[in-house]
């Protein structure tokens, strides 16, 4: 195993400091674009991870995230968006970040080596048998993330491992290993760059598939969006207006009858009563598609 692949020298690293700024920017962008090509060979694994997470969430379980440093930040960015985008309760998508909230303001390297901290965070997450945890570590060997992966697996949690080094410990133990072979960074070892960008895109892909699988996406709309500010209330109204084929006023009236929930509001706007809308959605496992033609 090349444990230091993410620490290796990039072809464009030598003399980087002496180049024109526009040349440096072009090389950084090119390196990021090339790194993203590592996603195509592992789309099958990302699909498998999304299927496992969808099954867990549909059954009332959880999809957790775990990571330290830059990898943890990529995981956190995806995790925090799920409640607002797809209406998934925050407790169903727990985040385990080495060092917790304090480390978000002042990144601390030592916390990623603390297995006791990892165990405490795993206990607090409530992850158990049948749940899924997405573990991210560019090197595939971060002690904090490895501890969570091993202990979660021992508790019956499905472990999805994202790493940027082949045959690394995280990929070897994961139930669903996802190798993001992004290679060396143009700034040696700075995995917030190509490795981190690719991790974030992989999570974007995975979580969108989960949203679709749960019935929270229809025709590219966030039909389970939590409308808790003016922008999102307007978005919810536009979604109802478009999918139900009604006026803006009718869309807002339907939302008022559904308590702001988009899916039932769409069916209400098409003529269902609130009770009928709720029953129809329960029968279709909260997917809209079976009802938009018939109601």
């Amino acid at each position: 195993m090349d444990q230091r692949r993410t620490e290796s020298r990039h072809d464009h690293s030598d003399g980087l400091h002496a180049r024109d700024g526009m040349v440096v920017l072009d090389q950084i962008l090119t390196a990021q674009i090339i790194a993203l090509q590592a996603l195509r060979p592992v789309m099958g694994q990302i699909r498998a991870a999304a299927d496992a997470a969808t099954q867990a969430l549909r059954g009332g379980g959880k999809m957790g995230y775990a990571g330290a440093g830059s990898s943890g930040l990529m995981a956190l960015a995806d995790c925090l968006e799920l409640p607002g985008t797809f209406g998934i309760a925050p407790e169903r998508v727990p985040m385990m970040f080495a060092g917790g909230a304090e480390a978000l303001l002042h990144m601390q390297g030592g916390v990623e080596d603390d297995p006791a901290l990892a165990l405490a965070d795993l206990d607090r997450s409530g992850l158990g048998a049948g749940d899924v945890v997405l573990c991210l570590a560019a090197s595939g060997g971060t002690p904090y993330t490895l501890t969570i992966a091993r202990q979660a697996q021992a508790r019956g949690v499905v472990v999805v491992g994202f790493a940027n080094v082949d045959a690394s410990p995280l990929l070897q133990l994961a139930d669903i290993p996802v190798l993001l072979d992004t290679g060396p960074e143009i700034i040696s070892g700075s995995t917030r760059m190509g490795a981190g960008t690719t991790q974030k895109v992989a999570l974007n892909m995975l979580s969108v598939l989960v949203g679709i699988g749960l019935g929270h996406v229809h025709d590219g709309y966030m039909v389970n969006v939590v409308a808790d500010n003016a922008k999102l209330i307007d978005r919810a109204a536009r979604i109802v207006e478009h999918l139900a084929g009604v006026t803006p006023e009718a869309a807002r009236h339907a939302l008022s009858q559904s308590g702001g929930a988009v899916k039932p509001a769409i069916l209400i706007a098409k003529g269902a009563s609130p009770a009928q809308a709720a029953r129809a959605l329960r029968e279709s496992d909260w997917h809209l598609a079976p009802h938009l033609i018939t109601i």
Side-chain angles (χ1 to χ4, degrees), residues 42-75:
V42 294
M43 288 198 293
Q45 291 94 309
I46 295 172
R47 167 70 183 271
D51 288 346
T54 300
Q55 182 177 345
L57 289 166
R58 187 184 290 131
K62 300 181 179 184
M63 178 180 72
Y65 293 74
S70 295
S71 295
L73 291 175
M74 297 304 101

Side-chain angles (χ1 to χ4, degrees), residues 67-136:
S70 295
S71 295
L73 291 175
M74 297 304 101
L76 180 65
D78 197 68
C79 176
L80 291 179
E81 293 281 2
L82 297 188
T85 303
F86 297 130
I88 301 172
E91 61 270 18
R92 305 276 302 285
V93 285
M95 178 70 212
M96 290 157 283
F97 182 79
E102 184 178 348
L104 294 175
L105 297 177
H106 303 285
M107 295 288 282
Q108 306 166 29
V111 292
E112 70 179 45
D113 298 327
D114 190 343
L117 176 62
L119 282 173
D121 288 349
L122 177 60
D123 288 340
R124 192 160 38 248
S125 75
L127 289 170
D131 292 332
V132 172
V133 62
L134 312 178
C135 296
L136 288 83

Side-chain angles (χ1 to χ4, degrees), residues 19-280:
R19 294 182 194 131
D20 178 78
M22 291 301 293
V23 173
V24 173
L25 291 177
D26 181 72
Q27 291 178 332
I28 292 171
L29 177 59
T30 299
Q32 299 272 292
I33 293 170
I34 291 172
L36 288 173
Q37 298 307 310
L39 289 163
R40 291 198 180 277
V42 294
M43 288 198 293
Q45 291 94 309
I46 295 172
R47 167 70 183 271
D51 288 346
T54 300
Q55 182 177 345
L57 289 166
R58 187 184 290 131
K62 300 181 179 184
M63 178 180 72
Y65 293 74
S70 295
S71 295
L73 291 175
M74 297 304 101
L76 180 65
D78 197 68
C79 176
L80 291 179
E81 293 281 2
L82 297 188
T85 303
F86 297 130
I88 301 172
E91 61 270 18
R92 305 276 302 285
V93 285
M95 178 70 212
M96 290 157 283
F97 182 79
E102 184 178 348
L104 294 175
L105 297 177
H106 303 285
M107 295 288 282
Q108 306 166 29
V111 292
E112 70 179 45
D113 298 327
D114 190 343
L117 176 62
L119 282 173
D121 288 349
L122 177 60
D123 288 340
R124 192 160 38 248
S125 75
L127 289 170
D131 292 332
V132 172
V133 62
L134 312 178
C135 296
L136 288 83
S139 68
T142 306
Y144 175 89
T145 310
L146 279 176
T147 298
I148 287 176
R150 289 194 181 103
Q151 294 302 315
Q153 197 172 58
R155 300 178 189 190
V157 178
V158 176
V159 174
V160 181
F162 293 86
N164 301 78
V165 174
D166 192 12
S168 53
L170 179 58
L171 295 181
Q172 289 178 331
L173 73 87
D175 298 296
I176 304 175
V178 184
L179 169 63
L180 303 173
D181 190 8
T182 50
E185 301 286 358
I186 197 166
I187 303 295
S188 299
S190 183
T191 52
R192 69 188 179 87
M193 301 181 73
T197 297
T198 306
Q199 289 173 354
K200 182 62 176 72
V201 175
L203 292 177
N204 288 347
M205 296 163 71
L206 188 155
S207 57
V208 167
L209 271 190
V210 169
I212 292 171
L214 294 173
H216 299 339
V217 176
H218 187 92
D219 280 350
Y221 286 110
M222 307 175 191
V223 291
N224 211 44
V225 63
V226 175
D228 57 2
N229 62 36
K231 177 186 74 174
L232 294 180
I233 290 169
D234 285 344
R235 179 180 296 166
R238 289 196 302 273
I239 293 170
V240 175
E241 178 185 349
H242 178 85
L243 291 180
V246 296
T247 65
E249 294 75 19
R252 289 183 178 274
H253 179 66
L255 281 166
S256 71
Q257 291 184 282
S258 70
V262 172
K263 289 182 192 178
I266 292 167
L267 303 190
I268 291 168
K270 290 180 70 67
S273 70
Q276 288 173 329
R279 183 170 61 252

